[in-house]
Amino acid sequence: MCAAAREKGVVMLDAPVSGGEPKAIDGTLAIMVGGDAAAFETVKPILAKMGSSVVRVGDIGAGNVTKLANQIVVALNIAAVSEAFVLATKAGVAPQAVFDAIKGGLAGSTVMNAKVPMILDGNFKPGFRIELHIKDLQNALDTAHGLHVPLPLTAGVMEIMQALQADELAACDHSAIVRHYEKLAKVEVRK
């Protein structure tokens, strides 16, 4: 597509975003851009009005690969949070107390701060739906396999999301990954 655009005198950039609806609304998206450096510098001021982070990560396609990396990190973070909070809850420790205790330490993250409150409230109203994350992880796995890069943790989380889809939870927010762990441990992580 980029070559076809170039033949017509059009410069193309790929510029996926991260941050979901809340960051889109307040103009603080993370924007990862692939493409020509000069074209990037031309449009960077426009992108900066939509994002607090606007980074050229390489040539055309690099933005898309960066987005796949982002989606892997987000999925694995949610799965890790889910495992940890199910363990704590099953052991009798209040999940809100666990959140308050660890969110300021090394385990703390933007993902934890965004998703744990939803989990504690049992609010799985979609921000980023599991079915969309399945699509992204499939793209990441396909890309990785094409490059002969094993992604065992990503594959594991993909299977969890497939199980949630089988349980008819694909339209839920990806924070509903916790529901898989709750089902296995027979416990709910709630306030």
Side-chain angles (χ1 to χ4, degrees):
M1 190 183 333
C2 181
R6 192 177 307 116
E7 287 176 12
K8 296 182 185 222
V10 176
V11 178
M12 179 179 155
L13 300 170
D14 67 290
V17 300
S18 181
E21 185 178 348
K23 293 194 177 274
I25 290 168
D26 67 16
T28 60
L29 290 165
I31 305 173
M32 45 216 88
V33 184
D36 179 75
F40 169 72
E41 290 302 325
T42 300
V43 301
K44 186 176 179 182
I46 297 165
L47 296 175
K49 295 190 181 304
M50 298 179 277
S52 59
S53 169
V54 180
V55 178
R56 180 181 173 269
V57 292
D59 292 332
I60 196 77
N64 287 319
V65 173
T66 303
K67 176 65 174 184
L68 295 177
N70 179 83
Q71 294 305 84
I72 290 170
V73 171
V74 170
L76 296 179
N77 264 280
I78 296 170
V81 164
S82 296
E83 283 190 15
F85 280 78
V86 165
L87 169 65
T89 302
K90 189 75 174 193
V93 181
Q96 181 67 55
V98 173
F99 180 54
D100 293 341
I102 69 174
K103 67 183 177 184
L106 190 56
S109 68
T110 300
V111 171
M112 181 185 289
N113 289 340
K115 299 304 174 179
V116 170
M118 293 176 71
I119 291 168
L120 295 178
D121 289 339
N123 172 14
F124 303 110
K125 178 182 171 192
F128 192 77
R129 296 187 311 273
I130 287 170
E131 60 197 353
L132 294 175
H133 217 139
I134 287 172
K135 173 194 63 74
D136 288 347
L137 292 187
Q138 188 61 60
N139 288 336
L141 290 166
D142 290 346
T143 300
H145 294 159
L147 296 168
H148 307 290
V149 175
L151 299 179
L153 295 175
T154 302
V157 174
M158 173 63 114
E159 291 304 313
I160 290 168
M161 290 188 183
Q162 293 291 340
L164 291 165
Q165 186 172 47
D167 286 342
E168 300 182 357
L169 297 173
C172 291
D173 185 78
H174 52 184
S175 61
I177 288 172
V178 75
R179 303 272 310 268
H180 178 74
Y181 290 97
E182 290 173 339
K183 181 179 176 181
L184 295 175
K186 298 177 177 44
V187 67
E188 281 194 343
V189 179
R190 302 293 181 272
K191 286 183 184 173

